[in-house]
Amino acid sequence: MKNKSSIKRRNQNEENWKSLRTTRDDLSLDRTLPTGQSFRWQKVEEEYDDENDENQKYSTYVGVIGRRVVQIRERMEFEEEEEKSYETTIEFRVLNTNESNICKDEDKENGEEEEEQVTKDVRAYFNLDDPIPLKDLFEQFSKADPYRFGRLSAYVRGARTLRQPPAECLISFVCSSNNNIARIKKMVESLCEKYGEELVCNVSSGRSDRSSGGSAKDDEENEVNDKEEMNDSKIYHAFPTVEQLAEKCDEQTLRDLGFGYRAKFIPAMAKELVKRGGEAYLLKLRDAPQTEEEKCRAITELTSLPGVGPKVAGCAALFSLDKKSVVPVDTHVWQLAREHFDPNGELASMETTAATTKGNANEEEAEQQRHKESSTPTTPTKQKDKPLSITPKMMKKCEEMLVSIYGAYAGYAHTALFVAELPTVRESLPEHLRTPTKADKKRGEKNEKKPKKKKRKFLVDGENKSDDDGA
């Protein structure tokens, strides 16, 4: 999939858009899709029918849900009043031709049923059928934590926790270990292109039915439009099934694709998942009762798979297995928890400084680094030069701290708090709401250590004056 794309919207295809039946309070695309939960969405630009209409405002993404290529947009509807205000409507459509669900007259009833099923599937992916609306949850979080969440809620409105296919989510987060979002997306896309099913679609418009037997002029126009659509066609890929990966995927191919030490875990994990029942095995973990015991069992099951440590297991449990109180803890979450929720210094007292996390024995490069450090004479190093190591014990303590504040939906609160730390969102926050970065703290320490400027004394009209006295 190319990095840049342009979606051209045409009047004759507006009927292909379907409402997701939700509001901005329950889903913001910009606060949900590019936030590191899923790595299959790309923001695109739309070409408007009327470029002079300033009321046409869209935030549009294209991604893959199952075997469907989905284009989704947040359409802002302006209302002319004393002050201009707007509401948003979330709409989507399916772009690949074999899944476009265009209803034919002779099969209208079946087509309507299929369209309704598509809407249900997309709503399920965005977790929109949760019994408690996100707006109500944010109000609960704000009451429980007025100091931090209450002040942030307006800036992370609609930051939703997704409900992804479990195997896709789990394998994607194996790719995320010691990685950044851009590189993770590249890895996931490479995996899909190599092993996933091709999904052919027309990115400029949904393919519409055309009647034959019209005038020569109509036939000529249809032929031109068909050629345009053929030129605009694009191939996406479904995420490969665990069966496809177990059969075809190998370590060397993944290393050639740039997966590094992660390359050996994905084939091994796929084979082990097939032994346990594949996607159905993971769905059983999702469908288990929502109890603390079942949450712990799911984490234990996941961490018994090759390449899965507690952080990856936590992400998969929260973003695909309905374990809503799970708080995946990385260095970013640890820092924000220490800054805002640790008045007694419990988290600070647990910090250690090591090159890697002790509890994650699955990572080849981490193991090599540990061996190198243990066998090589060390020289005194300042503590600030070493990366922070988050152990499983620290993760558990951090999770317990957030669960004690936010309760059974602590994972959802975590999502919103994490979104507020992303650079694009952080820039929109008032200065006093921004979690201080290490650079901010260093600057503050330097300013505190800087000696105060001595007052200069000089003569003005024969009298002694200082800087504070003025001339």
Side-chain angles (χ1 to χ4, degrees):
M1 190 170 63
K2 295 179 181 179
N3 291 331
K4 294 184 179 179
S5 183
S6 176
I7 301 298
K8 189 173 182 180
R9 189 169 56 85
R10 299 186 180 122
N11 284 331
Q12 64 263 34
N13 291 307
E14 279 301 290
E15 67 271 11
N16 290 340
W17 289 99
K18 304 174 185 69
S19 172
L20 202 54
R21 302 195 290 267
T22 189
T23 66
R24 175 71 166 76
D25 286 319
D26 265 348
L27 175 61
S28 163
L29 299 183
D30 288 335
R31 293 291 186 263
T32 301
L33 292 179
T35 60
Q37 296 185 61
S38 170
F39 307 99
R40 304 228 59 201
W41 293 92
Q42 178 187 6
K43 192 164 189 176
V44 296
E45 295 179 358
E46 287 198 67
E47 297 176 16
Y48 304 122
D49 295 322
D50 184 0
E51 294 182 358
N52 296 319
D53 185 358
E54 63 177 11
N55 290 346
Q56 291 190 32
K57 301 290 183 183
Y58 299 89
S59 182
T60 307
Y61 291 81
V62 173
V64 180
I65 301 177
R67 296 176 63 253
R68 300 186 181 103
V69 181
V70 175
Q71 178 190 353
I72 188 166
R73 71 184 183 187
E74 204 167 323
R75 178 163 59 87
M76 300 180 182
E77 299 174 340
F78 288 85
E79 298 177 359
E80 293 292 342
E81 298 175 354
E82 292 182 7
E83 294 183 2
K84 183 175 281 191
S85 63
Y86 67 87
E87 294 181 354
T88 60
T89 299
I90 309 291
E91 303 171 316
F92 76 96
R93 62 180 181 181
V94 177
L95 295 180
N96 49 322
T97 54
N98 59 325
E99 293 285 348
S100 58
N101 304 299
I102 297 173
C103 180
K104 297 181 179 180
D105 291 338
E106 65 269 21
D107 199 16
K108 187 172 182 179
E109 185 175 344
N110 290 340
E112 288 176 350
E113 289 178 0
E114 177 62 17
E115 286 186 1
E116 185 60 29
Q117 185 59 49
V118 174
T119 300
K120 287 180 180 178
D121 291 345
V122 177
R123 283 183 59 84
Y125 179 90
F126 284 97
N127 211 1
L128 290 167
D129 296 316
D130 194 276
I132 306 179
L134 190 63
K135 181 181 179 181
D136 293 350
L137 284 174
F138 274 31
E139 289 176 356
Q140 291 178 23
F141 298 154
S142 296
K143 288 179 181 177
D145 173 26
Y147 175 76
R148 183 61 181 168
F149 203 100
R151 294 177 177 181
L152 277 180
S153 60
Y155 300 95
V156 292
R157 179 184 170 207
R160 189 159 200 92
T161 300
L162 297 174
R163 190 176 190 254
Q164 302 170 65
E168 174 180 338
C169 183
L170 179 61
I171 294 169
S172 296
F173 276 100
V174 169
C175 297
S176 75
S177 180
N178 294 328
N179 223 337
N180 58 61
I181 290 179
R183 190 160 176 246
I184 300 164
K185 290 180 74 171
K186 184 178 178 181
M187 283 184 181
V188 170
E189 210 56 48
S190 296
L191 194 69
C192 295
E193 289 175 1
K194 186 69 178 176
Y195 301 108
E197 177 187 351
E198 287 190 354
L199 306 173
V200 182
C201 68
N202 183 294
V203 297
S204 68
S205 64
R207 200 177 289 272
S208 57
D209 290 335
R210 296 193 179 94
S211 59
S212 58
S215 66
K217 184 178 180 181
D218 289 338
D219 291 340
E220 185 179 345
E221 288 179 353
N222 285 344
E223 185 177 351
V224 171
N225 288 333
D226 285 337
K227 287 180 179 178
E228 287 180 353
E229 288 182 347
M230 288 177 65
N231 291 333
D232 284 336
S233 65
K234 186 174 183 178
I235 297 176
Y236 289 75
H237 294 82
F239 196 92
T241 64
V242 290
E243 290 77 14
Q244 287 171 322
L245 291 173
E247 180 184 353
K248 301 176 182 179
C249 186
D250 66 273
E251 179 181 347
Q252 188 55 52
T253 300
L254 293 184
R255 285 190 178 276
D256 293 342
L257 290 173
F259 280 67
Y261 69 86
R262 308 164 192 82
K264 72 175 184 179
F265 298 128
I266 293 173
M269 181 199 298
K271 288 181 173 64
E272 180 59 30
L273 282 172
V274 169
K275 288 179 183 178
R276 299 186 189 186
E279 186 89 0
Y281 157 75
L282 295 172
L283 290 173
K284 285 182 181 178
L285 297 179
R286 173 192 279 181
D287 295 337
Q290 298 299 314
T291 63
E292 183 67 19
E293 181 182 356
E294 287 297 332
K295 181 187 86 171
C296 293
R297 187 173 78 86
I299 296 294
T300 301
E301 292 276 343
L302 293 177
T303 51
S304 69
L305 292 165
V308 181
K311 162 67 190 322
V312 170
C315 290
L318 177 61
F319 301 136
S320 71
L321 298 182
D322 291 346
K323 308 311 176 195
K324 301 167 186 177
S325 65
V326 170
V327 177
V329 179
D330 60 7
T331 54
H332 303 289
V333 174
W334 177 268
Q335 294 291 358
L336 76 87
R338 181 182 162 181
E339 183 71 28
H340 302 291
F341 306 107
D342 188 31
N344 298 323
E346 294 179 73
L347 299 183
S349 66
M350 299 178 71
E351 288 188 359
T352 59
T353 52
T356 56
T357 301
K358 252 184 183 179
N360 190 355
N362 286 321
E363 298 180 358
E364 176 184 328
E365 291 180 350
E367 187 62 37
Q368 291 175 352
Q369 179 67 24
R370 281 196 294 272
H371 176 73
K372 181 180 177 181
E373 288 181 349
S374 63
S375 60
T376 304
T378 58
T379 56
T381 307
K382 291 183 180 180
Q383 182 172 322
K384 65 179 181 180
D385 294 332
K386 294 184 180 180
L388 177 65
S389 172
I390 308 294
T391 66
K393 185 177 180 181
M394 294 164 70
M395 292 179 185
K396 188 173 186 298
K397 181 63 179 178
C398 186
E399 180 183 76
E400 289 174 349
M401 188 172 286
L402 293 180
V403 169
S404 71
I405 299 169
Y406 299 114
Y409 280 80
Y412 286 26
H414 146 275
T415 297
L417 293 169
F418 181 85
V419 167
E421 302 299 317
L422 297 173
T424 54
V425 180
R426 189 175 185 274
E427 290 171 2
S428 70
L429 301 179
E431 188 68 35
H432 69 280
L433 289 182
R434 299 179 186 177
T435 301
T437 63
K438 288 183 179 179
D440 293 334
K441 290 183 177 180
K442 285 180 181 178
R443 281 194 294 269
E445 290 172 1
K446 285 182 180 179
N447 290 335
E448 288 179 5
K449 292 178 181 178
K450 192 179 293 185
K452 292 183 179 180
K453 189 177 179 182
K454 293 183 179 180
K455 296 178 182 179
R456 294 175 299 170
K457 292 188 176 183
F458 47 90
L459 289 174
V460 176
D461 295 332
E463 296 182 9
N464 283 324
K465 295 280 187 179
S466 70
D467 286 339
D468 291 342
D469 296 327

